[in-house]
Structure formats: C-alpha cells, structure tokens
Amino acid sequence: MAPGLTSVETDNSTNFSAIKSQASRSIFPDGIKTSGQHPPNYDELKGYDEFPKRWVHRFSEDEIEEMSTAADDFKASGTPLTGITKDNFPLPRLSGFLAFIRNELLNGKGFILFKGFPVEQWGNQKSAIAYMGLGTYLGYFVSQNGKGHVLGHVKDLGDDAGQIDKVRIYRTNARQFFHADDADLVGLLCIARALEGGESDIVSVHHVYNTLRAEHPDVLKLLTEPIWYFDRKGEVSKGEDPYIRTSVFYLEPRPNGRVYCKWDPYFIRSLTRFSTPGLIPPLSPAQLAAADLLEQTCKRLALHMVLEVGDIQFLANSHVLHARTEYTDRAPPAPRRHLMRLWLATPVGGGIGEGGWCLPFWDRAERKRGGIQVDDVAPVARLDGD
C-alpha cells in the first residue's frame, strides 16, 4: 500500500549504497547499477513556508531587534551619520545573510526587495541610521549630487521637470524612464507612498541586451559605440568637462567579461546648449530611434512592483535598469511620497577583495568609486529633502 501523505518513510540510502557496491559485474560491467525510481525521503521534504520567496525577504523579529539595538547604540555614540560603518553598526547575526545578498546583487539576479522595515515605528532619524547601517554591509555610500548628499531623498520638491538641463528628475513627480544611477548599487526605502502612481519597474540588462541582439543587432551595435554624450547638469569640479562621451553598453575589460549598461535618456536629451553651438554633435536620427527602442524593449520585458511603506529595494546598476511611473501626492497635511535613497560603491578589488564588477574607468579599484563629487564638498546625510 502506498504511504499516506503525512507518513514518513525510512531513509534507505545506506541499504542502497550496499546494493550499488554489490552490483554483479557479470550484469553491470562497471559494478554500478542504475538506482531507478523511488518515492522521496518524506522527512526531508520542506513545507511551502520554507521555500525561497524568489526576490523578497521579510525582516524577522530577531533581525529587526538586532538593527534596532545597533541604531540605538550608534545614536548614543554621537557619531555623525556620515561616519557610520560596519565597525560602529555591528550586525553579528544578520551580517552573514547580508553577505549572501551582496553576492546575489553583484553576481546573481541583481535585486532584492526587503519588507517590514519599521519606519512608522522608528521615525525618520532611527530609520535613516538603520538603513545606512544596513547599507554598509553591501557597499560604501557615495555622494549622489553636487551637494554631497549620501542619504538622498526621492521626493517632489517642486522643481520644474521640463528644465532637464538643470533639474534632476528624482526631485519631481515626473516619470523616470529606464535608467541606471551613477553607482554600483542603489537602495530605495519607502517612507511614504503617493496617492497615485510612483510605481517601480525593473528590467535585466542582459535580457534587454539579448533581445536587442536577436531583434535589432544594428541598434545594439550603435549602443556599444562611444558616441553618446551624457549631461552632468552643472555638477562638475573645476576644470572638468560639463558632459561625458561614452557608450551605453560596455563589456568588462577582462576575460569572459559581462555586459554592463550605463544609461539615462534624460541625460542625453538635455545637451542642446552644447550641440547647438557645435561643441558636441547633436543626437542623430539613428540615436534618437535607438533610445526610443531601448525604452520600449525595457518596458516590454520589465518586472513591475509597488513599494509599500517599510519596503527597501536594492538594485545593481551594473545589470538592472529601473524606472518609475509619474505620480500624484496626497493633499497637505498628508505626507508627500518619500523614498530615502542610497548609492553604494562595490569596487573591483585594489588588493582588498571587494568583488565588484571590473569597469573601464580609472577609479574601478577606488572604494568609493562613481557617484557625483564636486571639488571637496563634504558628505551630508540630511533626514529630509532640500
């Protein structure tokens, strides 16, 4: 009679090993007999709750408690938030899991969604401390703008989204097209949701690359050529060019290098102040068509998600592009949509085994590579947008 659904079979692996070792060589010349079909070891089967949730992790009570203790201790130390490190934000139990997540971000699917971060219970200050402390286990925080903000705030601050040569779109409620930020990893912690919209889309760079290679290889070739100019929107140090000439798709400069993407359509379309007087070439019809096709392909292949209050989304800008829908905020005094943002660097090595991607830039081994640094502007970690 077949075993019941809840009965447990005896593990017969030991007996099976004996059978294999005693297989008759007159029948099985190599002495090994095919094992055949068998029911599983029922005591080793896992319930649904133990299965991986693909790309979602809900913080446990123990994990929340460990982060809470570390945040309280850090605050009591009087150390400025810009001075937070793994050393002064210890997570002895959670650190091993975060090392796994870091590897998954860099070398796996490239994104993770954490849920259950208690922002409403903790408030902005403690949430910022715990969030930045968590981030130190994934990378080194880097400046996100010319003001030195290492804790960014994605929030509608009333800037005019039409002035794309001056305004960073994260400071508006406008749609953000698929793009990669100027850092290895980006984190977004949801403090408050919009009334409508502001939803997230992400897409695999490698899926997009393979699709373009199969469907539009001529467009993909154009995107690999270093003929694309990207605006720096005035966030430059003395003596630097106000734009960068580069390609959209890169290949790591090492054997079996991976495909990397650096892209933001707002930053290629805002350069008429340089192209009109002939300082740089204008975008060609082929480039404009390629930009539109890249966006359409990303939209077609994207994964859609809605960030709830207390969710944290971490992405690898190396091989994941992200976008945001336009949004409408609630009327005052309700809080506006607010995401705290981290840009994190994961350098390639420099003798310390950081394990980041090898990129064709001189600073690839710098611990805080990438980001936006203007002269010697000091890092700042404010608790709200300004």
Side-chain angles (χ1 to χ4, degrees):
M1 183 176 69
L5 291 177
T6 58
S7 63
V8 177
E9 290 285 284
T10 301
D11 183 352
N12 293 318
S13 59
T14 301
N15 292 336
F16 175 62
S17 297
I19 293 172
K20 285 197 299 182
S21 65
Q22 297 171 6
S24 172
R25 290 186 177 271
S26 64
I27 303 174
F28 306 99
D30 60 1
I32 304 173
K33 180 181 177 180
T34 300
S35 66
Q37 296 175 318
H38 303 278
N41 298 325
Y42 293 99
D43 60 335
E44 295 179 345
L45 300 188
K46 305 298 182 183
Y48 174 73
D49 289 342
E50 296 184 64
F51 276 65
K53 304 302 186 291
R54 298 187 302 163
W55 41 267
V56 178
H57 175 78
R58 179 172 291 277
F59 288 118
S60 68
E61 290 183 6
D62 287 345
E63 290 167 342
I64 294 295
E65 180 182 356
E66 185 170 62
M67 287 188 289
S68 178
T69 299
D72 290 341
D73 290 346
F74 180 85
K75 181 180 177 182
S77 74
T79 306
L81 192 47
T82 53
I84 197 166
T85 66
K86 287 190 289 187
D87 291 337
N88 57 27
F89 193 86
L91 297 174
R93 289 173 292 178
L94 193 52
S95 58
F97 175 66
L98 293 175
F100 166 80
I101 292 298
R102 185 181 189 275
N103 182 67
E104 186 69 10
L105 288 169
L106 293 177
N107 303 308
K109 53 183 158 303
F111 67 100
I112 182 71
L113 179 64
F114 289 114
K115 300 186 77 69
F117 196 83
V119 295
E120 294 175 312
Q121 175 187 341
W122 285 352
N124 279 14
Q125 183 180 23
K126 183 171 179 177
S127 294
I129 293 171
Y131 177 42
M132 288 191 70
L134 185 72
T136 64
Y137 287 81
L138 303 177
Y140 301 96
F141 55 76
V142 297
S143 173
Q144 303 174 30
N145 56 29
K147 298 178 181 180
H149 291 176
V150 293
L151 179 62
H153 299 279
V154 180
K155 192 173 189 178
D156 183 8
L157 298 174
D159 290 2
D160 182 1
Q163 295 185 331
I164 59 173
D165 61 328
K166 300 181 181 72
V167 171
R168 299 275 298 278
I169 298 299
Y170 74 87
R171 295 168 58 88
T172 77
N173 66 347
R175 173 187 174 190
Q176 282 191 297
F177 297 96
F178 282 92
H179 66 283
D181 294 327
D182 282 317
D184 294 303
L185 305 177
V186 56
L188 295 168
L189 164 61
C190 183
I191 302 295
R193 283 189 58 186
L195 173 65
E196 184 177 38
E199 298 177 1
S200 177
D201 291 291
I202 65 174
V203 68
S204 163
V205 164
H206 297 150
H207 195 181
V208 171
Y209 173 88
N210 289 334
T211 299
L212 289 175
R213 185 171 184 176
E215 298 177 358
H216 302 280
D218 55 330
V219 172
L220 181 59
K221 181 177 183 298
L222 187 66
L223 292 168
T224 65
E225 297 173 359
I227 59 172
W228 299 82
Y229 287 81
F230 285 76
D231 198 352
R232 298 181 66 183
K233 301 197 178 186
E235 296 179 312
V236 297
S237 298
K238 293 181 181 64
E240 292 182 339
D241 289 333
Y243 45 76
I244 292 174
R245 180 176 63 86
T246 184
S247 56
V248 176
F249 285 100
Y250 301 82
L251 198 62
E252 285 184 291
R254 64 183 182 187
N256 303 312
R258 296 166 291 187
V259 172
Y260 171 89
C261 183
K262 184 179 179 65
W263 176 245
D264 190 325
Y266 277 115
F267 284 72
I268 66 165
R269 297 180 186 272
S270 61
L271 289 162
T272 54
R273 66 192 188 280
F274 301 114
S275 60
T276 299
L279 297 175
I280 63 172
L283 289 167
S284 69
Q287 284 179 296
L288 291 169
D292 288 342
L293 182 63
L294 179 55
E295 177 69 16
Q296 293 166 15
T297 304
C298 289
K299 288 178 67 176
R300 174 157 59 100
L301 304 178
L303 170 67
H304 186 75
M305 66 178 74
V306 177
L307 298 185
E308 306 288 348
V309 173
D311 286 358
I312 306 175
Q313 179 192 75
F314 279 108
L315 304 174
N317 284 303
S318 51
H319 56 298
V320 176
L321 298 176
H322 60 287
R324 178 196 75 197
T325 62
E326 184 181 7
Y327 68 89
T328 301
D329 274 323
R330 293 178 171 84
R336 287 172 288 173
R337 179 182 185 268
H338 182 192
L339 305 180
M340 288 185 181
R341 185 174 70 179
L342 292 178
W343 281 7
L344 301 170
T346 57
V348 70
I352 53 177
E354 297 285 357
W357 284 46
C358 182
L359 305 180
F361 298 94
W362 72 264
D363 64 343
R364 60 187 172 213
E366 294 289 314
R367 291 194 180 188
K368 291 193 174 185
R369 69 182 188 181
I372 297 172
Q373 181 67 46
V374 175
D375 296 317
D376 289 329
V377 172
V380 176
R382 305 196 191 284
L383 299 181
D384 208 341
D386 63 355

